[in-house]
Amino acid sequence: MNIAKNTRVLSVALLGFWLLVALAFSGRFAFGGTLDRPFFRSNAIVIVFGGSDFLENGGVSLVATDFYLLDNIASGQAAPDIIGVDGVTVEFFGGANTPTSDGTARTNELLRIEGQTSGGVLTNVADFNVLDANDSLTAFGVDNNTDLDMASSFRVSQFYVTANTAFDVFAHASNLTTTNDFTSLGYADIGYFLFSQTTGSAAQNPAIGGQGRMTAINDLGDMSSGPTKVFDGGRRTARVPGTILQQAFSFIPIYFISNGDPGNTYDLSAGIGTIGATVTYTIYTP
């Protein structure tokens, strides 16, 4: 009787049995484990900054007063702003970013003599946006080409935008005010041009991929009926890693009084008076 041989056969048979049992139950029981699921989300963000308020109201700059979230907002709709205050633009000239409402920070003349044969040098003393008794003017020679105009007196302001996504800019002109001989003027008599430039070292032009400046908007009359697109964006302002200011792009609205004369923005026949309006800029989803 070969006991060793029979024992080996029995051992093999038992091993096979337990393998079958293991296979039968392997589909019914899960083996233990630890799951980890790292997850990150970057919202579509547009930050707008300039002045907290106009200088005469105690405003300072630079301050971010608009923080837009563009996620899940349909194209052509205003993006929600989670900062509940409105900011203001700042002066463009001189790089001081002064948030003035009437251009007092700039040093270009409100009125100027042109075509004079000699002289006509204006020394404009603050308040820089008006001619007053504090100013002085040198004598000037006159011929048939000498005239007075506002060609150098455009209103230039700016605001900054930093974004990680494409965006559009809409503008709305409202609250038109006029006095004296200018009461016959309207929104269309304030000319408009939206200039822009890359400001920060880590920024790029967001117009690429979009239409950029809307060339059909030439005066405030074109945006007085409601929010009107003035910039069609195609990409984010942030080009490479950097700070908010380094990734900023600057929008520079330019306004000027227009009386229909292509070579002159003002003529003495227009008389005296003032004209002004409020332009509100808002970020929209492209």
Side-chain angles (χ1 to χ4, degrees), residues 27-286:
R28 299 176 61 184
F29 297 97
F31 292 100
T34 301
L35 299 179
D36 194 6
R37 186 174 293 168
F39 179 78
F40 305 93
R41 171 177 293 170
S42 174
N43 295 99
I45 295 171
V46 178
I47 302 170
V48 180
F49 55 100
S52 62
D53 199 346
F54 292 120
L55 186 65
E56 56 268 35
N57 298 326
V60 297
S61 63
L62 294 166
V63 176
T65 55
D66 298 295
F67 198 104
Y68 293 96
L69 299 179
L70 276 63
D71 288 332
N72 302 317
I73 305 299
S75 176
Q77 298 297 312
D81 180 8
I82 64 174
I83 297 180
V85 298
D86 292 326
V88 301
T89 59
V90 295
E91 283 293 321
F92 175 73
F93 289 111
N97 288 316
T98 306
T100 57
S101 62
D102 57 4
T104 55
R106 58 190 167 89
T107 57
N108 59 316
E109 306 90 347
L110 178 68
L111 296 173
R112 73 174 181 184
I113 305 298
E114 68 169 5
Q116 67 272 33
T117 59
S118 62
V121 178
L122 173 67
T123 300
N124 195 211
V125 180
D127 180 348
F128 290 111
N129 68 319
V130 295
L131 290 174
D132 56 35
N134 295 318
D135 303 329
S136 63
L137 181 69
T138 64
F140 56 93
V142 177
D143 64 12
N144 201 42
N145 296 316
T146 308
D147 204 354
L148 181 72
D149 73 2
M150 285 187 179
S152 65
S153 183
F154 37 82
R155 170 80 163 107
V156 183
S157 56
Q158 68 177 333
F159 60 94
Y160 300 90
V161 174
T162 298
N164 66 353
T165 187
F167 61 92
D168 294 339
V169 179
F170 279 58
H172 180 206
S174 60
N175 300 324
L176 179 73
T177 61
T178 58
T179 64
N180 298 325
D181 296 324
F182 285 12
T183 55
S184 62
L185 303 182
Y187 288 107
D189 294 295
I190 301 179
Y192 178 79
F193 182 88
L194 183 62
F195 180 70
S196 59
Q197 66 180 12
T198 302
T199 304
S201 60
Q204 62 185 359
N205 186 352
I208 304 302
Q211 298 182 58
R213 182 181 70 87
M214 307 304 292
T215 57
I217 310 301
N218 298 308
D219 57 61
L220 298 195
D222 295 328
M223 61 178 76
S224 60
S225 61
T228 304
K229 184 188 291 189
V230 294
F231 177 83
D232 183 85
R235 63 179 182 176
R236 60 182 178 269
T237 70
R239 176 178 56 87
V240 295
T243 66
I244 292 174
L245 189 58
Q246 290 169 344
Q247 295 173 338
F249 187 80
S250 180
F251 288 92
I252 306 166
I254 302 173
Y255 311 93
F256 53 92
I257 188 171
S258 174
N259 67 351
D261 182 352
N264 197 343
T265 59
Y266 172 78
D267 184 86
L268 292 175
S269 62
I272 64 173
T274 61
I275 180 172
T278 300
V279 180
T280 303
Y281 292 93
T282 306
I283 300 298
Y284 275 59
T285 301

